[in-house]
Amino acid sequence: MNYVVQRLLTFPLILLGVSVLVFISIRLVPGDAITAMLGTEAGLLTPAQRAALAAYFGIDQPVWAQYLRWLTGLFQGDLGISSIYGKPVLTVILERFPLTLQLALMSMVIALSIGVPLGVFAATRNEKPSDLVVRILAMLGQSTPSFVIGVLIIYVLSVFFGVVPAMGTFTPLTVDPLASIGQLIFPAVTLGFAFAASVTRISRSAMLDVLSDDYIRTARSKGASQRSVVWRHALPNALIPVVTLSGVEFGYLLGGAVIVEQIFALPGLGRLVLDAITQRDYALVQGTVLFIAFNFLLVNLLVDLAYVALDPRIRIGGR
Amino acid sequence: MSKLFRAFLRHPSGRIGLAIISLYLIAALLGTLGLTPRDPLKLFAIDRLKPPSANYWFGTDLLGRDTFSRLMVGIKQSMIIAFSSVALATLFGTIIGLLAAWWGTLWDGILMRIMDVLLAFPAILLALLIIAIVGPGTATSVVAIAIVYTPIFARVVRGPALSLKQRDFVDAARTFGSSQPYILSRHLLLNLVAPLAVQVTLALAWALLTEAGLSFLGLGTQPPTPSLGLMLAESKNLMTQAPWLMIFPALTIMLGILGFNLTGDALRDILDPRTQRREA
Amino acid sequence: MTPLLSVRDLRVGFGRNPAANEVVKGVSFDLAPGETLAIVGESGSGKSVTALSVNRLVDFGGGRITNGSILLQRSDGSTLDVAKADEKVLRTIRGRDVGMIFQEPMTSLNPVHTVGAQIEEAFRLNRGLHGADAERAALEVLERVRIPDAKSRLAYYPHQLSGGMRQRVMIAMALASSPRLLIADEPTTALDVTVQAQIMALLAELRAETGMSMIFITHDIGLVAGIADRIMVMQHGLAVEQNTTDAVLDNPQHDYTKHLLNAVPHFTSGKAVRADGERAATSEPIIKVDDLVVRFPVKKGLFKPKGAIHAVDGVSFDLMPGETLAIVGESGSGKSTTARAILGLVEKHRGAIAAKAGRSRRPIQMVFQDPFASLNPRLNVEALMAEPAIANGQKLDDALRDRMRFLLDRVGLPADVLNRYPHQFSGGQRQRLCIARVLMLNPDVVVLDEAVSALDVSVQARVLDLLVDLQREFSLAYLFISHDMAVVERIAHRIAVMYAGQIVEIGEARSVLADPQHSYTRRLISAVPAVERRRQHFAVDATQVPSLVRPAGYEPPPANWREAGRDHRVRIEETK
């Protein structure tokens, strides 16, 4: 259980590092904070008003005090006020998050349900033509950026089918599940494409490694069938790299697919970050970036804990 | 070296990958020297949205600029950003990973936790954050992509470095009294060249992808300098009238990434001791 | 009597063109029911490939049978040509007619399934047993292979068991279907010698119980004397000699068999020790180790107290100039840790290591076990040989190159190898290179940590001879770390026996080997296989090495010694 304890202890440590990084990077923005917060309107302020504002936001205090104040706010769910929306940052984020979460989940389902079987299939037919076809497809998939796929999908749909995918709207899953899934299916395919390619490649190579292990030969010496060798003896041992990759990819997708959300005009977390950056809404930038990094770390923590379920060597420890 | 090259030419994906990379490097070189068929920035107002022809191989855009010439300059732009950012990431990542592995315990913990912090941000997001601070541009893209990939190189180096540190030949060197710089350079770094070469090639593919993504969002190379991502983004509204404006940049981006991915795969096959043993 | 197995002109090849790339080049043999055939050969002789062809597992390693027949008598009385059968039929003979155990018990069990589940699978596949029936059968067979506390072990994962226990599990699995033929592919090579004796005893007893036939593959011709009825000797893919065990061992016909029997060190209980090197009482030791203690801390959990592995616990000895002290012991005995502590590669917890000022700044040098791992693969011979000299302030000049050529010549390597890389040498040549390299600094003491263990048996003998010659020429003292009693007998002047981090017996080599006093030394020596010990009855025991993890603050009780002769001391054992 040492392993779990260690993971649980480093999690808050890294999170703290992330918060410091986010805090400092926003302080590095050139120009004074008031101008940064209010934009051009700051020019209309009198020096007294400026000083009052600085005192109100605590900007007149030393940096570490500002950080502590900000950190205390974080613990109370206070990420500041978004200047674009005039609402608390956390509220804005939570409005956008369901779409991003659903999109990430759909992409992962697509990627795993295609990638794992394909990778396993290719590994059992190592160096045969069917393996080669899978490898070429996976290589092409991995080399095609999501925005190229997205633009191509829109092009094919509009030119050949005369359909324009639903853009800019999102019905929550709870309101109308079918419509909700339908609206996200093309973005999910766009994201799932490269994801599936990576899953295929890593499943194939992990299976190839495992299939040459000694215990596979043992299973065969007992008279186990090919199916049992592949699914019962090999796959459980090959899952760790697949779970690692899927966790990392899923964690990143939870950060919002900035580009794909942009292409399909989806109001998700990625678009929110982009808008916040282009419109210089620093409270919002800070809040969303922190939220995204937190999600990523959380997913990775869960992946680390999943190893415990997958591998008895981690679960029980050595002799 | 010539042995490696010959092994490359025998490897099917190595052959294709190398051919693509060579083609792109030539295009980038010609683009740098200004040896494009037409001036990529010059407007030919009468030749707006011309489809591909003998005159304009890949057609022209809304302002009558030659797509082929613009792609060449775009490739140059992508290559400069990809190569310089990966070079920086390799340098810093290798140093950090090597020292973390060599010093061990406390320093290893500190350095790698810092890397973990950087890895907690999706690549595009980290790049966006940096762009938010210093504003978009070529130099920003280089720095942003370098920072994104430094922790990956640190990890790639640290793992094998840790196991090399345990190897008998390092212990042997210690019993001779060899100096630390000698052990680090000859016993560790020299044996890390193979995994690093693979990683550099694959990182070049990712860097191309990230760079194209940033410029697709309008946050990379700024107009009027042509960039592959921006050309694709601008084509979106014209795709039914002028599909060539979309297809050629899309293919150019894909093929470039594919070239580096194929080369990286081939390198891994050739340099991986496991596959070598299988052949022996 | 019709043979159980009849192999005729078997040829097996690998790769794209198997006919051109043959590893087995026409092997024929018969095996009668209940008979044990040993196939003996060095690495690359084709012995394992021959055995793997009998159940066609060779197919999954990339091999193809290109010619010949393998007629197997099945349990229902029919005869099957395994060489031509298809995969579906082969699956029914694997496990059911032919069981198999492998060399590496550490990697041959699936890490994600419990021991019980893996044994039950064998019962399910071959006997159709399910659920509670399979579990009962698994428990029964675990008890048959003498696993203590078998019931609770069913729920263990492989990594929780020791190597010997895992090999017992493998045997239990192979026995699940009561096969008529058991193939054992070097089943004890990866195990310690006392554990090897336990496994050999178990196999002999199970064979008597079940009446099964056995094909036993090994590189150790001494080991087969105890178990085989017939011996087949293989070299370069050919069976060069096959006959009854007595005929092969007492009256070998083929040169290679004679070579294996004569050139390879065999253990003779002290009859073959060196005659030179009488210990001069007056000289001063070159190394004096006093109460050496090495501990590795283990974290047990966040709040539990820390303990430590007591790897070396109070070891003392002297090494005189020009003499060989062998430290023998099994894995975990602390012998290698002792060596590494003397070189400063691990930190000592306590104790003194005093080295007399020697001929150079670094009078103690070390040769490692694995010649593949101890040479940096990216450096050529010149750079490798130069490293010790450069580390001590010399320059890579012609004088240094002359010394390299001189030493390479002394270890029997041609002088023109300076531009070659390690992968261009064989294992034996690499170890010679390692030896030449440590001589660059003109040391007084060379620590040889299992330095010949990774080499093929016939190469071992030649490297041992070289070591003896070099010792005389350069007046070197050796600290020779080994688990192999036969090798130690050939090179040691004095022997220290280590067990669980402590020396239990130390003294003059002949005295220790011929008249062992400590119970562990006796057990160790009786476990060593020897050509003279034919069809012996191994006593079945399951003694386990004690855990070396001790709670914080634990100190071992003080050692008491008794003299067992001139220069022969034994640790007094506690009576329980």
Side-chain angles (χ1 to χ4, degrees):
Chain A
M1 284 297 112
N2 240 338
Y3 169 82
V4 177
V5 172
Q6 197 199 334
R7 291 291 132 173
L8 289 173
L9 283 179
T10 47
F11 176 68
L13 202 70
I14 295 174
L15 203 55
L16 205 65
V18 166
S19 73
V20 171
L21 187 73
V22 170
F23 182 82
I24 290 179
S25 52
I26 297 302
R27 299 302 113 161
L28 290 176
V29 175
D32 73 306
I34 304 285
T35 313
M37 249 182 285
L38 300 184
T40 46
E41 291 167 38
L44 306 172
L45 295 172
T46 64
Q49 280 172 316
R50 270 180 173 273
L53 269 177
Y56 176 76
F57 287 113
I59 301 166
D60 53 345
Q61 289 168 6
V63 177
W64 61 267
Q66 292 181 39
Y67 172 70
L68 281 185
R69 189 180 137 133
W70 181 66
L71 198 65
T72 327
L74 287 185
F75 279 108
Q76 294 156 354
D78 175 14
L79 295 173
I81 307 286
S82 157
S83 63
I84 309 178
Y85 298 94
K87 283 195 282 191
V89 167
L90 191 63
T91 314
V92 179
I93 289 174
L94 291 179
E95 281 168 11
R96 300 293 192 97
F97 187 55
L99 183 148
T100 295
L101 179 65
Q102 189 185 330
L103 184 57
L105 281 173
M106 284 173 67
S107 317
M108 188 164 76
V109 168
I110 291 172
L112 290 180
S113 55
I114 295 173
V116 173
L118 218 54
V120 171
F121 169 83
T124 56
R125 279 158 187 73
N126 191 19
E127 302 297 328
K128 296 204 175 107
S130 47
D131 174 37
L132 201 66
V133 170
V134 172
R135 279 160 71 190
I136 290 173
L137 281 178
M139 179 48 96
L140 283 175
Q142 210 177 26
S143 303
T144 313
S146 58
F147 49 87
V148 170
I149 302 271
V151 170
L152 280 178
I153 284 181
I154 293 175
Y155 177 72
V156 168
L157 283 177
S158 57
V159 172
F160 295 100
F161 298 96
V163 188
V164 179
M167 287 215 212
T169 50
F170 175 60
T171 321
L173 201 62
T174 44
V175 176
D176 183 354
L178 275 181
S180 174
I181 290 175
Q183 281 164 358
L184 291 188
I185 192 74
F186 291 113
V189 167
T190 304
L191 288 169
F193 195 76
F195 193 173
S198 314
V199 171
T200 306
R201 284 167 60 89
I202 205 142
S203 311
R204 176 180 173 272
S205 75
M207 276 299 278
L208 271 183
D209 280 351
V210 169
L211 282 173
S212 64
D213 278 344
D214 286 348
Y215 51 81
I216 295 301
R217 194 176 53 177
T218 305
R220 293 206 158 109
S221 80
K222 287 195 281 193
S225 64
Q226 174 72 4
R227 206 176 56 189
S228 157
V229 164
V230 169
W231 296 102
R232 191 182 131 78
H233 288 277
L235 190 61
N237 282 291
L239 273 182
I240 283 197
V242 179
V243 169
T244 308
L245 174 96
S246 310
V248 169
E249 291 277 333
F250 182 72
Y252 284 148
L253 283 182
L254 279 190
V258 181
I259 296 172
V260 171
E261 285 176 15
Q262 178 77 2
I263 294 172
F264 289 94
L266 293 173
L269 218 48
R271 280 271 303 290
L272 189 64
V273 182
L274 200 60
D275 290 348
I277 287 173
T278 45
Q279 299 183 38
R280 307 192 144 244
D281 182 345
Y282 288 106
L284 193 56
V285 172
Q286 219 168 28
T288 39
V289 169
L290 198 65
F291 182 78
I292 287 167
F294 174 77
N295 280 335
F296 178 79
L297 290 173
L298 194 65
V299 170
N300 274 277
L301 183 70
L302 294 177
V303 166
D304 286 344
L305 297 183
Y307 294 159
V308 176
L310 288 174
D311 193 338
R313 283 166 293 189
I314 299 173
R315 183 162 67 239
I316 303 176
R319 276 187 299 130
Chain B
M1 209 55 214
S2 65
K3 216 177 99 191
L4 180 71
F5 188 69
R6 261 180 280 130
F8 234 105
L9 293 186
R10 268 202 310 275
H11 197 288
S13 39
R15 213 158 35 205
I16 302 170
L18 218 53
I20 296 174
I21 294 179
S22 313
L23 194 71
Y24 274 59
L25 287 178
I26 292 169
L29 189 70
L30 294 178
T32 317
L33 298 174
L35 296 174
T36 49
R38 293 178 181 265
D39 186 337
L41 299 182
K42 196 169 172 200
L43 316 178
F44 297 92
I46 44 160
D47 284 337
R48 282 181 186 182
L49 291 182
K50 289 279 178 223
S53 64
N55 228 0
Y56 302 102
W57 296 345
F58 287 178
T60 61
D61 67 5
L62 193 59
L63 302 174
R65 294 175 298 192
D66 179 39
T67 307
F68 186 82
S69 306
R70 288 173 64 74
L71 281 179
M72 281 174 74
V73 178
I75 288 174
K76 177 207 98 179
Q77 202 63 24
S78 291
M79 292 298 224
I80 287 176
I81 293 174
F83 274 93
S84 22
S85 60
V86 170
L88 286 176
T90 311
L91 180 69
F92 290 111
T94 305
I95 292 173
I96 293 170
L98 203 58
L99 292 181
W102 185 250
W103 287 335
T105 55
L106 185 64
W107 276 107
D108 187 22
I110 293 173
L111 288 173
M112 293 322 285
R113 290 301 83 72
I114 295 175
M115 295 298 107
D116 283 349
V117 167
L118 287 179
L119 279 172
F121 302 91
I124 284 274
L125 188 71
L126 191 57
L128 288 181
L129 191 64
I130 295 163
I131 290 162
I133 300 165
V134 286
T138 306
T140 315
S141 297
V142 170
V143 172
I145 297 172
I147 291 178
V148 167
Y149 292 115
T150 296
I152 294 176
F153 274 98
R155 281 198 174 178
V156 163
V157 165
R158 178 181 168 269
L162 269 181
S163 79
L164 284 169
K165 193 183 156 190
Q166 313 282 339
R167 293 277 288 277
D168 283 350
F169 59 75
V170 173
D171 276 343
R174 286 198 187 128
T175 68
F176 303 141
S178 292
S179 65
Q180 287 201 30
Y182 187 94
I183 295 177
L184 280 174
S185 60
R186 303 210 107 189
H187 292 313
L188 265 59
L189 206 52
L190 203 57
N191 281 292
L192 288 168
V193 169
L196 269 177
V198 175
Q199 201 59 32
V200 164
T201 327
L202 296 178
L204 283 170
W206 303 331
L208 279 183
L209 188 122
T210 312
E211 190 276 331
L214 288 177
S215 60
F216 183 88
L217 293 173
L219 296 168
T221 305
Q222 295 299 300
T225 311
S227 70
L228 302 178
L230 202 58
M231 287 172 74
L232 185 64
E234 285 168 348
S235 78
K236 234 184 97 182
N237 300 324
L238 296 164
M239 61 168 65
T240 39
Q241 300 130 277
W244 61 89
L245 284 181
M246 180 200 80
I247 285 165
F248 291 114
L251 281 180
T252 309
I253 294 170
M254 257 183 79
L255 203 63
I257 296 169
L258 184 69
F260 285 105
N261 271 334
L262 286 172
T263 311
D265 255 29
L267 261 182
R268 178 154 45 198
D269 282 353
I270 294 166
L271 296 174
D272 185 353
R274 275 181 310 177
T275 43
Q276 277 174 353
R277 223 184 298 136
R278 240 175 264 160
E279 277 166 24
Chain C
M1 191 157 48
T2 50
L4 175 72
L5 181 70
S6 176
V7 174
R8 285 292 167 274
D9 195 28
L10 177 68
R11 287 169 181 273
V12 187
F14 282 80
R16 291 234 165 82
N17 185 3
N21 206 349
E22 280 188 349
V23 173
V24 176
K25 302 167 183 167
V27 167
S28 305
F29 64 89
D30 286 329
L31 184 68
E35 192 180 43
T36 298
L37 170 76
I39 304 181
V40 182
E42 294 180 279
S43 50
S45 63
K47 58 184 192 301
S48 288
V49 173
T50 304
L52 286 168
S53 302
V54 172
N55 58 4
R56 286 279 296 278
L57 282 181
V58 72
D59 293 27
F60 296 100
R64 286 284 168 275
I65 294 179
T66 52
N67 186 38
S69 66
I70 303 170
L71 298 179
L72 177 74
Q73 186 110 86
R74 304 199 60 179
S75 48
D76 58 11
S78 64
T79 304
L80 174 75
D81 185 356
V82 174
K84 296 182 180 64
D86 69 38
E87 179 59 23
K88 217 170 169 181
V89 180
L90 290 171
R91 218 178 283 146
T92 64
I93 71 156
R94 288 187 201 125
R96 241 171 267 185
D97 293 291
V98 183
M100 185 151 188
I101 55 179
F102 301 95
Q103 176 172 355
E104 283 293 340
M106 306 315 259
T107 53
S108 291
L109 291 168
N110 194 327
V112 304
H113 296 301
T114 61
V115 164
Q118 296 186 56
I119 301 177
E120 283 164 35
E121 185 189 17
F123 280 105
R124 196 176 68 239
L125 288 169
N126 301 309
R127 292 256 200 91
L129 296 184
H130 290 276
D133 291 338
E135 202 180 320
R136 209 171 310 118
L139 178 61
E140 207 174 285
V141 75
L142 265 193
E143 279 167 350
R144 266 175 76 199
V145 297
R146 311 285 185 301
I147 288 194
D149 194 15
K151 199 171 173 79
S152 64
R153 304 285 162 137
L154 283 175
Y156 275 42
Y157 286 93
H159 73 275
Q160 295 170 282
L161 298 173
S162 69
M165 285 296 152
R166 287 190 219 188
Q167 199 58 295
R168 282 166 201 265
V169 171
M170 283 295 295
I171 295 172
M173 225 151 62
L175 288 178
S177 53
S178 318
R180 309 210 301 149
L181 171 61
L182 180 69
I183 302 173
D185 186 3
E186 303 244 14
T188 60
T189 307
L191 303 174
D192 276 326
V193 62
T194 56
V195 181
Q196 163 170 294
Q198 292 171 5
I199 297 290
M200 294 303 285
L202 180 67
L203 284 174
E205 192 170 291
L206 291 171
R207 184 185 53 172
E209 250 173 62
T210 60
M212 65 185 175
S213 301
M214 215 154 86
I215 296 179
F216 192 93
I217 295 143
T218 182
H219 66 278
D220 184 351
I221 201 165
L223 186 61
V224 303
I227 197 163
D229 300 310
R230 295 174 61 80
I231 295 178
M232 176 163 93
V233 180
M234 285 190 70
Q235 186 192 21
H236 306 317
L238 292 169
V240 296
E241 178 160 4
Q242 52 178 315
N243 210 331
T244 62
T245 301
D246 291 338
V248 171
L249 296 182
D250 297 332
N251 190 15
Q253 299 299 311
H254 194 273
D255 284 345
Y256 181 66
T257 316
K258 289 179 194 163
H259 166 76
L260 278 184
L261 282 165
N262 298 327
V264 171
H266 296 289
F267 186 61
T268 58
S269 302
K271 289 186 209 101
V273 293
R274 287 167 68 175
D276 64 337
E278 194 66 17
R279 210 171 199 220
T282 51
S283 64
E284 197 188 329
I286 182 104
I287 299 183
K288 191 171 177 55
V289 174
D290 191 33
D291 192 31
L292 176 68
V293 175
V294 181
R295 288 178 192 165
F296 302 110
V298 280
K299 280 185 222 144
K300 284 196 161 170
L302 198 56
F303 304 108
K304 285 182 207 146
K306 281 181 188 176
I309 297 170
H310 287 218
V312 178
D313 227 352
V315 161
S316 308
F317 60 82
D318 299 335
L319 180 68
M320 296 294 177
E323 115 183 320
T324 304
L325 171 67
I327 300 184
V328 296
E330 297 180 285
S331 48
S333 64
K335 56 186 193 307
S336 283
T337 310
T338 304
R340 298 176 94 81
I342 290 171
L343 268 301
L345 292 175
V346 294
E347 241 172 276
K348 62 178 195 287
H349 180 77
R350 179 174 78 217
I353 300 167
K356 205 175 70 175
R359 296 185 283 245
S360 76
R361 264 203 287 169
R362 295 188 172 264
I364 310 174
Q365 288 297 316
M366 178 155 165
V367 175
F368 295 81
Q369 167 169 5
D370 185 356
F372 288 81
S374 54
L375 295 171
N376 184 343
R378 304 252 167 230
L379 297 180
N380 65 12
V381 172
E382 184 177 275
L384 289 166
M385 294 281 289
E387 184 178 356
I390 289 171
N392 289 281
Q394 296 182 47
K395 277 203 182 64
L396 181 55
D397 52 18
D398 284 342
L400 197 65
R401 284 194 192 91
D402 284 343
R403 179 157 176 81
M404 289 178 197
R405 288 193 195 97
F406 166 71
L407 287 171
L408 287 171
D409 176 61
R410 295 305 303 122
V411 300
L413 290 173
D416 63 356
V417 298
L418 286 180
N419 290 319
R420 289 202 218 155
Y421 286 84
H423 69 263
Q424 294 167 290
F425 296 95
S426 68
Q429 287 176 320
R430 285 191 207 202
Q431 203 56 303
R432 285 165 193 268
L433 186 58
C434 290
I435 294 167
R437 179 156 81 137
V438 300
L439 295 179
M440 286 295 288
L441 289 180
N442 196 16
D444 296 273
V445 180
V446 178
V447 177
L448 298 146
D449 186 6
E450 299 272 12
V452 299
S453 304
L455 307 178
D456 257 339
V457 278
S458 59
V459 180
Q460 263 185 6
R462 289 201 292 273
V463 174
L464 280 178
D465 289 343
L466 171 70
L467 285 172
V468 171
D469 289 346
L470 293 173
Q471 181 164 43
R472 294 201 192 103
E473 181 174 351
F474 296 96
S475 54
L476 300 166
Y478 287 153
L479 190 62
F480 191 91
I481 316 289
S482 182
H483 71 281
D484 188 336
M485 302 300 278
V487 164
V488 162
E489 187 180 15
R490 295 285 177 300
I491 194 159
H493 297 114
R494 300 181 78 236
I495 292 175
V497 180
M498 278 190 79
Y499 179 68
Q502 299 172 330
I503 291 181
V504 296
E505 186 159 357
I506 182 168
E508 199 247 325
R510 188 191 314 272
S511 180
V512 171
L513 294 179
D515 184 22
Q517 297 290 316
H518 194 275
S519 65
Y520 174 72
T521 317
R522 286 191 187 148
R523 198 143 57 85
L524 187 64
I525 286 178
S526 70
V528 176
V531 177
E532 292 90 64
R533 299 186 187 149
R534 308 268 165 93
R535 284 171 294 278
Q536 70 184 91
H537 181 76
F538 294 99
V540 174
D541 82 312
T543 318
Q544 295 256 54
V545 181
S547 166
L548 298 177
V549 182
R550 308 285 193 184
Y554 172 88
E555 287 298 331
N560 296 307
W561 297 85
R562 68 181 169 85
E563 301 289 326
R566 198 180 68 84
D567 190 23
H568 185 170
R569 302 204 310 147
V570 189
R571 199 183 179 103
I572 296 169
E573 296 172 64
E574 292 166 66
T575 42
K576 280 179 192 157

